[in-house]
Amino acid sequence: MLKYEIKIAIRKLLKNKLYSSINIIGLAVGVAACLLVATIVLDDLSYDRQWKQTDQLFRIIQVANVNNGTEEIPNVYTGLGPELKGNFPEVKSFCRMEVKGMEFKFEKEKEAVKIPCLLAETTIWDLLDLTIIDGNPRHFIEKIDNVLITEKIKNQYFKDINPIGKTIYRISENMSDTCIISGVIKDIPNNTHLRSQVIVLRYSLKGTNPDFNKLTDGESVATMPQYLLLNPHVNTMVFQKKLNAWYKKVSNEMLSKNLYYLQPIQDVYLRSNYSEPEGIHGSISAIYIYALIAVLILAIACINYVNLSMAKSIDRIRETGISRVVGAKNVHIISRFLLESILFFLMAFGISITLYLIFLPFIEQYLGHQMSLTLLSSLKLFLLTVFILFLVCIVTGFYPSYMLSKIKPVLALKGKADRKNGIGFLRKALIVIQFTIALIVLIAAITINLQFSFLKKADIGYDKENLLEIGFTPWRKSGESFKRELLQIPGIESASIATWYPTYGAGLMTMETTDPRNHNDKLRIGFIDCDLDFPKTLKLQLRDGRAFDAQHPADAGQDSLHYTRVMISDMYSDIFKVTQMDKPVEEFRHIPIGIIKDFHNQSLLEKKSPLILTGYKELEYGAMLVRVSPGTSARIIDPLRKIWKEYYPAQNLSFNWVEDLLAAQYRNEYRLSNVFKVFTFLAIFLACLGLFGLVTFMLEKRMKEIGIRKVLGASVSSISKLVSKDFLKLVIIAILIASPIAWYYLNKWLQNYPYRISVYWWIFIFAAILVLSVTIITISIQAVRAAIINPVRSIQAE
């Protein structure tokens, strides 16, 4: 019996090729898009869940109350981890570790290569379950940094030799530090924020416990990220309270106002609300949006299937009536239609898997890494996907078949449906729903793209164009002579060494002080040490006073009374009421000589803060900013490399254009903007594909009416209007529903940005016109085609 039913279902499918093609294409595209987005979502959600002790691993985060809000800081005092291990039985182990890009020479005479590296201490073995392939890396070789390389590095640089015990060279401060390879480990999974290809176990950290009493004395203390492994069944919230109560007792008055919280390691990737230049980050809000888009796209595809199934079911009313008369029960009729639905979904699923495999490499290339969790890499995930799609298939196919089975046999034999069954109303409602979804996605895509463009093009207070950045370098006493050589290159206008470059945090350091506007709040001030050419190189705008000048020796360094000449930002001037130049500010022991227009030393995702520039004649360490003339960027690179090799032969030249660095700050916004562009197209395509199918079948049912109207003198345009008006009414209703929903949620989303656009009224007008135009074109193609058919053929059609 089942074999017979399958044959009948296949014949029906082949008989109605247009109906079948539209349904299968719509479902396949919708399912493929949903699967691709679901893969991104699930891969992001899988970060750092693969460690055996995941539930016991936490990163320590410091929370400071500054600038009328709170700031989360991932770097904490170096001695904190050992101190917690020694004072709290809840702490099983700790590890100080962070990811950095580092340069290595695997052969002394060869060029250095930059590799993502995890700097850690020997307690890493307690926290992470790393798989050893070769060597005995758990046995630490004393008085030298031990290096663990992954299989990838081994195969790339030590393919035919045993690397264990081999000395390699790490380029640090223009010198080569020797390290020894103590082990080869299995590649670290991609789905971790600790993603790296080399692990350096630092001898300098082994067994050290910096004097924690320095916190009490208020001295400067080194900081770095630290992780704790808690004992099983420890109540994290209770332990966190104990930690903060202890910290208040041992730290000084100012620091005691800061608190700590323990961030689960699986939350680090998606829930880190701070910027780390070399960190690997995702966004939980973006994940929610992607997941919602995937569901909506699949919903539009399923709505198309339901609508087309209900429209096509009109042709099968008599078939249903005959089946009922000869004794078929409702269950039998429903099961027959569900079987057809399953066949449609199976064919669509097969095509969607093909599309998935085709586009997955492009998605991975776009994301910049291979995904650890994909549909075909996990049998459990594949089976779960099949099960979910089977449920969607049953739910989607059930309603049309159920409605058809409820038609009275007498009406069914006459080929008529009872108007009270609500099929027509439901079909219209579903059209409204799918166009509402498409419109919301379209309006969101336009708004997100405008916000991204705003972030890229906003005035940041300095000229970012034609500005090149050379990474942090130990210039020693050669920085100024290197600069002079650069300035001889045609096309280079100026250069400056500073302890900051665009996207590198707030500056060399920040300092907390009491906010004069509200003594209960803390204010964070940024400090940038720079040479005297810094304002000129960035083209900062002077508001009052003067810029640094080599003709004023006091501008570089402290005077005899230990006051420092500085330039301050507008915001600093306003907050601290600095109105007179060359007058000492006792609190900070400096003398402002000039006020500059506020500039964004951090991304536009952060609020501006007061800023102080301190001038130096020559800096021994920092980044270099180089201003080049427009149109000369390509010509200055080779001469720059040549001079670099003369001064710093042991170190590779690392440089970036500032515009590229600034754009990279908004990679999440860029990715979100592109995702919405793609899914806007898919949403509109799928909605119009379903509309195209509906119009086609509606016209087939009205062929005689169209023929009679033509005989009576109706024009092609009047027939097109007749067919279009009912559908256009539904699209207009969708516009009226979608607009307030989109306005509300987009305004809410924009609140996450300190600097943002408004949800402009013209976006809704543009979206409405675009969707209406596409709808009219979709309907008109079939309406005109039907209207120009010979009326004799149209009348004979029935």
Side-chain angles (χ1 to χ4, degrees), residues 67 69 219 275 277 383 484 490 500 572-573 624 631 726 741 766:
N67 299 352
E219 292 185 29
S275 59
L383 293 176
R484 285 193 294 271
W500 169 89
Y572 178 97
S573 171
M624 181 175 286
D726 289 337
I741 295 173
F766 175 80

Side-chain angles (χ1 to χ4, degrees), residues 566-781:
V566 299
M567 297 182 71
I568 59 176
S569 65
D570 267 340
M571 191 174 184
Y572 178 97
S573 171
D574 292 341
I575 292 173
F576 291 95
K577 309 298 181 186
V578 177
T579 56
Q580 186 177 342
M581 298 298 97
D582 297 313
K583 181 179 179 181
V585 177
E586 295 294 340
E587 183 179 358
F588 302 114
R589 302 292 293 178
H590 61 230
I591 301 174
I593 62 170
I595 300 174
I596 55 171
K597 176 186 174 183
D598 286 328
F599 71 91
H600 290 273
N601 55 323
Q602 299 186 85
S603 79
L604 293 176
L605 304 179
E606 307 285 342
K607 290 183 179 179
K608 280 188 292 192
S609 59
L611 190 63
I612 296 174
L613 306 183
T614 305
Y616 289 85
K617 185 177 180 180
E618 186 171 7
L619 286 173
E620 294 191 5
Y621 184 78
M624 181 175 286
L625 294 168
V626 181
R627 171 73 58 191
V628 304
S629 302
T632 62
S633 56
R635 296 200 298 271
I636 62 102
I637 300 301
D638 288 339
L640 171 60
R641 291 185 188 277
K642 184 178 178 182
I643 296 173
W644 179 270
K645 281 297 180 186
E646 292 174 5
Y647 277 83
Y648 308 103
Q651 190 170 353
N652 281 348
L653 173 63
S654 175
F655 68 89
N656 293 284
W657 292 100
V658 167
E659 283 188 286
D660 296 334
L661 290 174
L662 293 172
Q665 292 182 118
Y666 311 117
R667 58 183 179 270
N668 283 330
E669 285 71 24
Y670 174 71
R671 187 183 298 172
L672 192 61
S673 175
N674 284 342
V675 166
F676 263 91
K677 287 176 186 176
V678 171
F679 283 98
T680 297
F681 169 77
L682 286 178
I684 295 175
F685 168 75
L686 290 173
C688 289
L689 183 70
L691 188 62
F692 181 85
L694 276 177
V695 171
T696 301
F697 291 120
M698 293 302 103
L699 288 172
E700 285 180 4
K701 297 303 166 190
R702 301 179 68 175
M703 288 296 284
K704 180 181 280 189
E705 177 191 344
I706 291 170
I708 293 171
R709 287 179 180 275
K710 284 204 69 179
V711 169
L712 295 175
S715 63
V716 173
S717 61
S718 65
I719 292 172
S720 297
K721 288 178 184 177
L722 176 69
V723 175
S724 303
K725 66 179 183 179
D726 289 337
F727 290 105
L728 289 177
K729 286 177 184 176
L730 299 178
V731 175
I732 290 170
I733 292 171
I735 291 169
L736 296 175
I737 295 172
S739 296
I741 295 173
W743 180 87
Y744 175 78
Y745 283 105
L746 286 171
N747 269 300
K748 204 169 182 181
W749 176 75
L750 286 169
Q751 297 304 313
N752 296 319
Y753 295 91
Y755 307 96
R756 55 185 177 268
I757 63 167
S758 299
V759 185
Y760 305 115
W761 61 267
W762 61 262
I763 296 174
F764 301 94
I765 303 297
F766 175 80
I769 292 173
L770 179 62
V771 171
L772 283 171
S773 300
V774 173
T775 303
I776 290 169
I777 291 170
T778 303
I779 297 171
S780 297
I781 289 172

Side-chain angles (χ1 to χ4, degrees), residues 259-508:
L259 297 175
Y260 291 103
Y261 86 88
L262 302 183
Q263 182 183 37
I265 194 171
Q266 61 265 37
D267 287 350
V268 173
Y269 176 72
L270 288 175
R271 301 177 189 271
S272 293
N273 301 319
Y274 32 79
S275 59
E276 295 170 84
E278 299 189 63
I280 299 169
H281 295 297
S283 167
I284 190 64
S285 60
I287 289 301
Y288 291 146
I289 293 171
Y290 294 157
L292 179 62
I293 289 175
V295 171
L296 293 178
I297 292 296
L298 184 60
I300 291 176
C302 290
I303 286 171
N304 279 348
Y305 179 81
V306 172
N307 262 341
L308 290 172
S309 296
M310 290 194 299
K312 195 61 184 172
S313 65
I314 295 171
D315 288 343
R316 305 182 66 177
I317 291 175
R318 285 195 179 90
E319 175 192 332
T320 304
I322 294 170
S323 298
R324 293 283 298 278
V325 168
V326 296
K329 295 182 179 180
N330 285 355
V331 174
H332 179 262
I333 294 170
I334 291 172
S335 62
R336 179 186 296 174
F337 286 101
L338 280 179
L339 182 60
E340 292 181 22
S341 178
I342 291 171
L343 279 176
F344 272 112
F345 269 84
L346 281 175
M347 295 184 70
F349 184 63
I351 296 171
S352 68
I353 290 294
T354 304
L355 293 174
Y356 178 88
L357 293 174
I358 291 171
F359 286 101
L360 184 61
F362 295 101
I363 296 289
E364 291 179 330
Q365 185 178 0
Y366 177 69
L367 295 176
H369 68 274
Q370 188 175 4
M371 285 187 278
S372 300
L373 188 65
T374 65
L375 193 63
L376 301 183
S377 68
S378 169
L379 180 60
K380 287 182 180 178
L381 181 59
F382 181 81
L383 293 176
L384 178 63
T385 302
V386 171
F387 176 70
I388 291 172
L389 286 176
F390 177 75
L391 289 181
V392 171
C393 166
I394 296 299
V395 172
T396 304
F398 177 77
Y399 188 80
S401 57
Y402 174 75
M403 294 302 295
L404 202 60
S405 69
K406 297 296 288 182
I407 297 174
K408 295 177 182 178
V410 176
L411 292 174
L413 288 172
K414 294 180 179 179
K416 297 179 181 180
D418 189 350
R419 292 182 180 180
K420 294 180 182 180
N421 62 18
I423 290 178
F425 174 79
L426 178 64
R427 187 163 62 238
K428 291 176 182 178
L430 291 176
I431 292 172
V432 170
I433 290 171
Q434 65 179 172
F435 274 95
T436 298
I437 294 171
L439 277 156
I440 290 173
V441 174
L442 174 58
I443 294 167
I446 297 169
T447 305
I448 291 169
N449 189 60
L450 289 172
Q451 174 65 14
F452 175 61
S453 297
F454 169 78
L455 293 175
K456 282 178 59 181
K457 298 176 183 178
D459 179 10
I460 53 177
Y462 60 88
D463 187 357
K464 63 184 177 182
E465 296 180 359
N466 304 303
L467 190 61
L468 180 140
E469 171 270 334
I470 298 174
F472 276 83
T473 303
W475 306 101
R476 303 188 188 281
K477 298 297 183 181
S478 304
E480 285 302 309
S481 57
F482 179 77
K483 269 178 58 178
R484 285 193 294 271
E485 291 280 348
L486 286 190
L487 293 173
Q488 301 305 311
I489 299 174
I492 293 184
E493 298 178 355
S494 64
S496 173
I497 297 174
T499 56
W500 169 89
Y501 63 84
T503 71
Y504 186 81
L508 168 69

